[in-house]
Amino acid sequence: MGVSEVRRFNRLVTQRIGALHEDYLDRGRPLGADRVLWEIGEGCDVRSLRARLDLDSGYLSRLLRQLERAGLIAVEPGATDARVRLARLTPKGEVERRMLDERSDQLAKSILEPLSEPQRQRLVTAMDEVTRLLTASMVRVEPVDPRLPTAQYCLNEYFAELGRRFDDGFDRTRSISADNAELTPPAGLLLMATLRAEPIGCGALKLHGDDPAELKRMWVSPDARGLGLGRRLLTELEHAAAAHGAPAVRLETNRTLAEAIALYRSSGYEEVPAFNDEPYAHHWFEKHLNVRGGS
């Protein structure tokens, strides 16, 4: 549903912004090379650049060589690790980047100028919404080993946020456990969300065979809120619990986490009597599942 509309939108946008031309913005290069030049900015490592733009390593290498031959960038080994390659703009490249900014502003104005003021407002508002939705579509959610550094980053951010928001802080040693072993199959699992290869959220399950699964460690980065990621993580965890044969999902939460409580209630969770002695919990919820794969 909607595939033909998305394709029509893509065709229009690529034509309107000039992405089809080899000479993008009259600078003698295609859009891909100009975008790489712009993204390098004040300098970055090539691995991060590739992840941020989601480019094939071979294609990115060709674009970097093209920019190097033009004298716009320099790619050098890292100062502390020769395996890390750093890309930076040359003085000529800095001038070219400023030119790209000017030409990009001109292109944006050429899109807005033919429209009336109400039309401009409608377009800009629609673009903001499309930006949020396209960003949401770029988020990847995958099961990961909780021992990975990126997974540990998410879990530590989760603990830090609870510490800031709970009335009396948060001490993980007092809370019901959900350690690495408990979040590793077959005992459980951890889902991690990434955007442009950066970790932005997580959620976990403790599995108990034919008994209800426990939902744990739900966290979304403040920078990623508003993308619907919390609901997506919740839905995928429910499907995972059902796929493992759990008849229901249970969770406990603190009264200060109003957004989480609203999410659970709007997702079909019902408040139930306390089923454990979690010292930081004020609410306990449960949702029954279809064990063939959904709620």
Side-chain angles (χ1 to χ4, degrees):
M1 186 176 101
V3 171
S4 61
E5 289 82 3
V6 170
R7 292 185 60 189
R8 182 172 66 244
F9 176 81
N10 290 344
R11 290 193 298 270
L12 176 62
V13 170
T14 53
Q15 180 181 357
R16 184 63 183 87
I17 68 172
L20 304 178
H21 301 291
E22 291 187 3
D23 187 7
Y24 182 67
L25 296 179
D26 296 324
R27 302 311 299 160
R29 296 174 301 275
L31 173 59
D34 280 344
R35 178 63 186 274
V36 168
L37 176 67
W38 192 88
E39 287 287 344
I40 289 172
E42 296 180 359
C44 63
D45 72 86
V46 172
R47 183 179 301 173
S48 296
L49 181 65
R50 181 171 65 84
R52 190 160 71 240
L53 295 177
D54 195 21
L55 292 177
D56 172 79
S57 59
Y59 179 56
L60 177 59
S61 294
R62 291 194 294 274
L63 291 176
L64 292 174
R65 286 196 297 270
Q66 177 184 347
L67 294 171
E68 278 189 295
R69 287 195 297 269
L72 301 174
I73 68 167
V75 180
E76 304 161 338
T80 58
D81 187 346
R83 296 171 298 178
V84 176
R85 294 192 303 151
L86 301 178
R88 62 172 179 81
L89 300 181
T90 64
K92 182 180 177 181
E94 292 173 357
V95 172
E96 186 64 19
R97 191 175 189 272
R98 288 194 293 271
M99 180 61 71
L100 284 176
D101 276 333
E102 292 177 9
R103 294 290 177 87
S104 296
D105 285 346
Q106 292 170 9
L107 175 59
K109 290 175 182 176
S110 75
I111 293 172
L112 294 171
E113 282 173 353
L115 305 177
S116 67
E117 186 57 33
Q119 287 176 318
R120 293 176 187 175
Q121 289 298 326
R122 286 170 54 198
L123 178 60
V124 171
T125 300
M127 284 178 165
D128 284 341
E129 179 68 5
V130 169
T131 297
R132 282 193 295 273
L133 293 173
L134 286 179
T135 300
S137 76
M138 294 168 63
V139 175
R140 296 177 181 175
V141 177
E142 298 172 315
V144 297
D145 186 331
R147 300 163 187 81
L148 288 175
T150 48
Q152 287 296 305
Y153 165 81
C154 289
L155 294 171
N156 288 331
E157 287 297 304
Y158 165 83
F159 294 133
E161 179 158 351
L162 297 191
R164 291 190 297 269
R165 297 185 63 174
F166 287 5
D167 295 335
D168 299 317
F170 178 74
D171 179 355
R172 72 181 75 177
T173 63
R174 293 185 57 216
S175 181
I176 292 176
S177 68
D179 59 28
N180 291 341
E182 292 174 297
L183 303 184
T184 302
L189 60 91
L190 177 70
L191 297 183
M192 184 173 70
T194 56
L195 177 61
R196 301 183 181 93
E198 295 296 324
I200 59 169
C202 65
L205 289 174
K206 290 172 64 176
L207 299 169
H208 304 291
D210 294 334
D211 292 327
E214 294 180 71
L215 185 75
K216 309 296 288 185
R217 309 308 191 227
M218 280 282 289
W219 172 78
V220 174
S221 168
D223 294 337
R225 291 172 191 173
L227 299 178
L229 180 54
R231 192 174 299 276
R232 179 177 170 187
L233 281 167
L234 184 61
T235 300
E236 298 208 21
L237 288 166
E238 290 171 2
H239 284 294
H244 284 82
V249 174
R250 286 179 168 180
L251 64 96
E252 70 280 341
T253 191
N254 187 279
R255 63 190 170 204
T256 64
L257 303 178
E259 310 94 323
I261 292 171
L263 170 64
Y264 300 138
R265 285 180 170 150
S266 68
S267 300
Y269 285 77
E270 296 182 355
E271 195 153 3
V272 296
F275 49 76
N276 60 27
D277 57 357
E278 169 58 55
Y280 293 104
H282 302 101
H283 302 274
W284 287 258
F285 290 94
E286 183 174 282
K287 181 176 182 178
H288 292 279
L289 303 174
N290 176 346
V291 295
R292 287 175 295 183
S295 59

